[in-house]
Amino acid sequence: MKKAIAATILAAALGTAAAGTAGAAQAGSTTSAKAIAAKAVTLTVKQSAFVVNYTDVQVRTVLSNGETLVSVRDLSAALGAKLSTLNGYTTVTLDSHSFAFKTGVKQASVDGNVVNLNQPVKVLNGTAFVAVKPLVQALGGTMALKDGKLAINTIKLIAGGENARFVNASQAIVSVETDAKRTDYLVDVATGKSAELLSTEGGSDLIVAPGGAKAAYTDGEGAVYVLDLASKQSKQISNDTSIKTELVWSADGSAIYFLQGDKGSVIAKVDVATGTISKVVEDKVDYKSALSVSPDGKKFAYLVTTPPKATADGTDLDKDTVAIDASGEQVQVNLFDTTAEKPAAVALTSAKDDKLFVVSPDGSTVYYVSVADENASATVVSVDKEKKTATLLAEGDVEELVLSGGKLYVLTAVNADESAIYEVDPATASQKLLYKVPASASGLAVNGSQMIIALEDGLYVNANGSWKPVTR
């Protein structure tokens, strides 16, 4: 109803303007046709480079009376706006905003309100051109010059996003943490548009299932939930309140593995359909972390941390004589193969270097980041079930390691100003430099050729070799 009333008001206003123009023409009929023609100016249509919602596009433009006019069709397509025509009026609609106009007229309707334009909407080569500023502002957008190009933004990026996880090629989950809660959003990585998925207090991170249709998490009490990413509805599948960490989906999405207990002593799983929890590995090994599960659910790679020992001299109770012995503290990569004749935890490593980011695609080989000491650069190392180790990448100081599509992706610090992202093929040990990024880069997420990193001012996704923001 509001749009119909607005269209009536606009039609009346435009009709009055047209009548006034006709009257003026009659009154000035003595003006010669040659004089009018002399005032005509030939306008030239050209292709202009714009940055629309962080994407480079080409838009037809015209410079008229010192004002840039833009092809309504070109800009609408770049913005993803809808075009419709009715009774000679064209309406551009984007989200909750609308801009309605008629060619040859200096007025338009913005969200139902009539506004004046500096010059009439023009038609050149069959295409309508309107001043870019009032059109962008009417659609709730902003404009600025960036690297010599006009940058137009109509998408409100979420603020404070972190911990990006790809759902599929076009979407990622991004979390926003506050002191009170964590809110997860589903973000379109091409446009930055977001929709709230879930808000929890004390819950774990969302772990995306194979196929990207669901995600799992635990609440503050340890109960397990599965979230349908399409409907945004959560379903509690288990009310067991034991401590659960390191959630890992099975390859077929039928179960969720996790470390159970305050010391991560047990590897267990919950059946998604029934909620039944069963222990898979109970090897008497405490302080597990970085759980990795083979596709067949038979092999489990993880880190084991040997904690420092506390000693005390109890002869003098008035003195604080507790001492911490860290000489035996170390982190080792373990493998548990349930198909072995005598299943048991096997330590694949023995060196006292720190170890981080364990990943294992099939349980036969494990990849991790090795930090020899505080003065040495971290490297990417592989170790197989025969305990044979090999260095796969020793460029810079490795900070993060991600496994995706059978390839390893590594974020490594180059110097105080620059980091780099490498792709490593574990099968051939070949390495390829993909990108140079600012030294502040962190939080690497990978989905095929797509990547997301966190910089100081937000999360950025790589699109055709350039980085564009998806949060701010």
Side-chain angles (χ1 to χ4, degrees):
M1 181 64 70
K2 180 179 177 182
K3 288 185 178 179
I5 294 173
T8 301
I9 293 173
L10 178 62
L14 298 183
T16 301
T21 302
Q26 291 177 357
S29 58
T30 56
T31 304
S32 69
K34 290 184 179 180
I36 295 175
K39 294 181 180 179
V41 177
T42 301
L43 301 178
T44 302
V45 178
K46 68 174 185 177
Q47 292 283 349
S48 297
F50 283 16
V51 180
V52 177
N53 289 330
Y54 310 103
T55 300
D56 289 327
V57 297
Q58 292 290 318
V59 177
R60 285 173 291 177
T61 61
V62 169
L63 184 62
S64 175
N65 298 322
E67 187 175 35
T68 297
L69 310 185
V70 64
S71 163
V72 175
R73 184 171 299 279
D74 289 359
L75 187 57
S76 296
L79 292 171
K82 294 181 179 179
L83 284 176
S84 61
T85 57
L86 180 65
N87 298 329
Y89 296 96
T90 299
T91 301
V92 185
T93 305
L94 182 65
D95 298 328
S96 60
H97 298 292
S98 65
F99 180 88
F101 65 89
K102 190 172 185 179
T103 59
V105 179
K106 291 178 63 175
Q107 289 178 311
S109 171
V110 175
D111 296 339
N113 300 308
V114 177
V115 299
N116 294 318
L117 304 176
N118 290 333
Q119 55 186 309
V121 179
K122 302 183 185 301
V123 176
L124 298 169
N125 302 327
T127 298
F129 286 80
V130 68
V132 63
K133 185 175 181 180
L135 175 57
V136 170
Q137 290 179 339
L139 299 178
T142 60
M143 299 192 313
L145 280 177
K146 182 180 180 181
D147 300 328
K149 300 178 182 178
L150 182 62
I152 297 172
N153 291 325
T154 58
I155 295 174
K156 306 299 186 291
L157 301 181
I158 60 174
E162 57 186 11
N163 190 21
R165 289 136 287 166
F166 277 102
V167 171
N168 49 47
S170 60
Q171 295 175 309
I173 293 175
V174 171
S175 301
V176 176
E177 297 269 4
T178 66
D179 292 338
K181 62 182 180 179
R182 188 196 74 246
T183 304
D184 293 297
Y185 296 86
L186 192 62
V187 177
D188 186 312
V189 296
T191 65
K193 287 185 177 180
S194 61
E196 184 175 328
L197 278 176
L198 179 71
S199 186
T200 59
E201 297 179 16
S204 70
D205 290 335
L206 289 175
I207 307 301
V208 180
K214 300 176 290 186
Y217 66 98
T218 61
D219 65 13
E221 302 300 321
V224 182
Y225 292 77
V226 171
L227 173 67
D228 185 290
L229 297 179
S231 67
K232 302 180 179 61
Q233 298 299 309
S234 287
K235 178 182 179 181
Q236 184 175 346
I237 64 170
S238 172
N239 56 10
D240 177 83
T241 57
S242 62
I243 296 174
K244 303 173 184 68
T245 59
E246 307 280 351
L247 272 61
V248 179
W249 281 90
S250 65
D252 62 3
S254 66
I256 302 166
Y257 295 91
F258 54 89
L259 298 179
Q260 189 176 40
D262 59 347
K263 294 181 180 180
S265 306
V266 174
I267 300 175
K269 70 175 181 179
V270 57
D271 186 287
V272 172
T274 66
T276 302
I277 292 178
S278 56
K279 294 181 180 179
V280 181
V281 174
E282 194 170 11
D283 54 6
K284 310 298 183 183
V285 177
D286 294 337
Y287 304 110
K288 296 182 180 72
S289 63
L291 178 64
S292 182
V293 183
S294 64
D296 62 4
K298 302 296 185 181
K299 303 179 185 67
F300 302 87
Y302 49 89
L303 294 177
V304 174
T305 302
T306 303
K309 294 181 179 180
T311 61
D313 180 2
T315 59
D316 189 346
L317 300 180
D318 294 328
K319 294 182 179 180
D320 183 6
T321 57
V322 176
I324 302 298
D325 179 9
S327 60
E329 183 179 8
Q330 55 185 275
V331 180
Q332 302 301 347
V333 177
N334 273 31
L335 180 68
F336 194 102
D337 185 350
T338 61
T339 65
E341 183 177 350
K342 294 182 178 180
V346 176
L348 300 182
T349 60
S350 57
K352 292 187 177 182
D353 55 327
D354 283 336
K355 301 173 183 69
L356 306 165
F357 303 108
V358 167
V359 292
S360 179
D362 58 9
S364 64
T365 305
V366 180
Y367 309 104
Y368 63 94
V369 174
S370 170
V371 186
D373 58 62
E374 62 182 10
N375 298 315
S377 294
T379 59
V380 178
V381 176
S382 69
V383 58
D384 61 23
K385 58 185 179 181
E386 305 301 326
K387 304 183 181 182
K388 180 181 178 181
T389 62
T391 299
L392 296 181
L393 184 73
E395 301 293 334
D397 189 8
V398 174
E399 297 177 322
E400 296 182 24
L401 174 67
V402 175
L403 176 68
S404 178
K407 300 291 182 64
L408 297 172
Y409 295 89
V410 186
L411 176 66
T412 181
V414 177
N415 52 50
D417 300 315
E418 188 177 62
S419 291
I421 298 174
Y422 283 87
E423 178 188 88
V424 178
D425 186 340
T428 63
S430 61
Q431 54 187 250
K432 179 169 61 176
L433 174 63
L434 297 179
Y435 306 109
K436 293 290 185 69
V437 294
S440 63
S442 64
L444 178 65
V446 183
N447 180 72
S449 61
Q450 291 180 305
M451 295 184 184
I452 295 177
I453 56 172
L455 299 178
E456 291 179 345
D457 58 347
L459 297 177
Y460 284 72
V461 65
N462 190 276
N464 300 320
S466 62
W467 298 92
K468 68 177 184 178
V470 291
T471 72
R472 59 179 177 84

